[in-house]
């Protein structure tokens, strides 16, 4: 931990304990409210996932037939479904020409691993050093990775892709994955991870002496969503020209995930329990600390009023005595 971080931590500690812990109690109360709101949204998402039907890609035709046979309403348009299948580029199924499955057109290729993918995320983390301790031109203190500054560079490349059913002879059915507006985490696989130090040049050495930020290392990481990976899509299913399309639901914490529907339910149930009991514990602590702070400040205020009342009678006789002395002098 750097000296600036230690000073900031000390300042926050003194601020939290000020006013007999009132600031700390208020912060805990705010945290408890946020935790309980998270519990509410997570439990709502759990109920929606439990009630959502799970389909194979080929079974989505049944959903389309039921929509055609029943009167149209808004609930059918916003129907939440869970679909599991294998990732495939949309270019491979355009025109239902399954011979394109071996074609590399419309597919991303990882520059590091050579894997074919539909999503490639390049993540660069540049570590910078601001100053240091020098003695006679020699660096006597070199910060650790925790003390170094960081600059992040994220590059995300995608191509349109679909989910298909696996097997040696894939069926002609597929569902288009619509990524528009989705900010959910992606089920990416790390294919490259390397921390490379940067040689310090004389120019960099001079920059460090005068307190400027200097790059000292680069962390390169590459993640991909490869072809053929089994994932689940949890979202709103709609049909365009008879072709199913699934898009993200903003009320859910998942859209594309490696987990099955049962695993998602278990994960959401565990998070619900953790959020509930965390909210109860943090809320109880905040109530206790705020109660203690109110009690201490109330007693302090009563003591202040008592001292004021004791001081007022003592001042009145002294003023009467002064007036009597003045009259006697006259």
């Amino acid at each position: 931990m750097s000296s600036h971080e230690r000073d900031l931590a000390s300042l926050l500690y003194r601020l939290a304990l000020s006013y007999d812990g009132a600031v700390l109690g208020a912060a805990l109360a705010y945290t408890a409210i946020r935790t309980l709101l998270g519990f509410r949204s997570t439990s709502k998402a759990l109920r929606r996932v439990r009630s959502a039907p799970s389909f194979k890609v080929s079974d989505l035709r049944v959903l389309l037939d039921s929509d055609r046979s029943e009167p149209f309403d808004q609930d059918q348009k916003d129907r939440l479904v869970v679909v599991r299948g294998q990732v495939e580029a949309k270019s491979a199924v355009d025109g239902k020409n399954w011979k394109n499955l071996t074609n590399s057109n419309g597919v991303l290729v990882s520059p590091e691993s050579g894997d074919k993918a539909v999503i490639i995320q390049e993540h660069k983390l540049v570590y910078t050093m601001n100053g240091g301790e020098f003695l006679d031109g020699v660096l006597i203190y070199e910060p650790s990775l925790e003390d170094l500054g960081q600059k992040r560079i994220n590059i995300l490349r995608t191509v349109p892709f679909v989910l298909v059913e696996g097997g040696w002879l894939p069926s002609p059915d597929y569902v288009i994955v619509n990524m528009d507006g989705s900010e959910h985490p992606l089920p990416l696989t790390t294919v490259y991870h390397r921390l490379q130090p940067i040689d310090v040049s004389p120019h960099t050495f001079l920059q460090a002496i005068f307190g400027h930020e200097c790059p000292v290392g680069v962390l390169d990481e590459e993640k991909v969503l490869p072809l053929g990976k089994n994932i689940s899509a949890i979202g709103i299913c709609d049909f365009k020209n008879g072709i199913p399309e699934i898009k993200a639901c903003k009320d859910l914490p998942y859209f594309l995930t490696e987990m099955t529907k049962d695993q998602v339910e278990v994960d959401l149930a565990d998070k619900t329990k953790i959020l509930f009991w965390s909210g109860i514990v943090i809320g109880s602590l905040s109530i206790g600390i705020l109660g203690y702070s109110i009690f201490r400040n109330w007693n302090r205020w009563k003591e202040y009023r008592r001292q004021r009342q004791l001081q007022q009678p003592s001042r009145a006789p002294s003023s009467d005595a002064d007036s009597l002395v003045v009259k006697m002098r006259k």
Side-chain angles (χ1 to χ4, degrees):
M1 182 181 293
S2 64
S3 60
H4 298 289
E5 292 177 346
R6 285 193 295 267
D7 294 340
L8 180 60
S10 177
L11 177 62
L12 292 177
Y13 177 77
R14 292 195 300 268
L15 180 62
L17 297 182
S18 59
Y19 300 102
D20 295 322
V23 176
L24 177 60
L28 289 176
Y30 174 77
T31 305
I33 293 174
R34 292 294 302 269
T35 304
L36 292 176
L37 289 177
F39 160 75
R40 180 182 177 184
S41 61
T42 305
S43 59
K44 181 180 178 181
L46 176 59
R47 291 192 299 269
R48 293 198 63 183
V49 171
R50 281 177 175 171
S51 61
S54 181
F55 291 98
K56 294 181 180 179
V57 176
S58 58
D59 294 338
L60 288 175
R61 296 292 177 180
V62 179
L63 186 63
L64 175 61
D65 295 337
S66 64
D67 287 346
R68 288 175 176 175
S69 61
E70 296 177 3
F72 175 82
D73 57 18
Q74 187 68 22
D75 294 337
Q76 290 180 356
K77 182 179 179 181
D78 296 338
R79 183 175 297 175
L80 183 71
V81 299
V82 181
V83 183
R84 188 162 184 86
Q86 288 185 353
V87 175
E88 185 56 66
K90 188 175 181 297
S91 60
V93 298
D94 282 341
K96 296 183 179 180
N97 183 8
W98 288 97
K99 295 179 181 180
N100 291 334
L101 281 173
T102 57
N103 194 353
S104 60
N105 293 330
V107 177
L108 300 175
V109 179
S110 170
E112 300 295 341
S113 64
D115 295 340
K116 294 182 179 180
V118 294
I119 298 177
I120 295 180
Q121 183 184 60
E122 298 180 26
H123 176 73
K124 291 183 181 294
L125 188 62
V126 182
Y127 291 99
T128 59
M129 182 177 66
N130 188 1
E133 296 182 6
F134 291 86
L135 180 63
D136 297 332
V138 180
L139 181 64
I140 62 174
Y141 166 67
E142 184 176 356
S144 62
L145 288 179
E146 292 78 8
D147 297 331
L148 295 175
Q150 297 179 359
K151 293 183 178 179
R152 299 177 182 271
I153 302 174
N154 291 319
I155 301 175
L156 184 66
R157 293 182 293 158
T158 63
V159 295
F161 65 99
V162 298
L163 294 182
V164 299
E165 289 191 25
W168 291 100
L169 295 175
S171 66
D173 296 317
Y174 60 92
V175 54
I176 300 174
V177 179
N178 188 347
M179 296 288 295
D180 294 340
S182 173
E183 298 180 356
H184 299 78
L186 298 171
L188 304 179
T189 302
T190 302
V191 295
Y192 182 77
H193 184 91
R194 181 184 179 186
L195 178 61
Q196 182 178 1
I198 298 177
D199 294 334
V200 180
S201 63
H203 177 66
T204 305
F205 179 77
L206 291 176
Q207 284 183 325
I209 292 178
F210 291 102
H212 297 287
E213 289 187 352
C214 309
V216 295
V218 178
L219 175 63
D220 283 332
E221 189 177 59
E222 187 177 274
K223 297 180 180 181
V224 302
L225 181 59
L227 300 180
K229 185 173 184 177
N230 284 308
I231 63 173
S232 298
I234 307 174
I236 306 299
C237 185
D238 195 5
F239 290 86
K240 294 183 178 180
N241 300 323
I243 299 176
E245 180 183 82
I246 191 167
K247 59 182 180 180
C249 180
K250 295 182 179 180
D251 297 334
L252 298 180
Y254 300 106
F255 175 39
L256 303 178
T257 176
E258 299 180 15
M259 296 183 291
T260 62
K261 179 187 175 182
D262 294 336
Q263 291 173 335
V264 170
E265 291 181 11
V266 172
D267 184 66
L268 288 176
D270 292 340
K271 289 182 178 179
T272 301
K273 294 178 182 178
I274 293 174
L275 289 172
F276 175 76
W277 289 111
S278 298
I280 295 297
V281 172
I282 297 175
S284 301
L285 287 175
S286 66
I287 292 174
I289 294 174
L290 287 174
Y292 171 78
S293 175
I294 293 172
F295 176 77
R296 286 290 303 271
N297 285 281
W298 173 255
N299 287 338
R300 189 175 300 167
W301 182 74
K302 288 196 303 182
E303 181 66 22
Y304 172 75
R305 286 197 61 185
R306 188 179 67 83
Q307 292 179 358
R308 288 287 301 272
Q309 291 175 357
L310 291 176
Q311 292 175 0
Q312 288 178 358
S314 62
R315 291 179 180 177
S318 62
S319 60
D320 294 341
D322 294 339
S323 61
L324 181 59
V325 169
V326 172
K327 290 182 181 179
M328 291 177 64
R329 287 181 179 178
K330 291 181 178 180

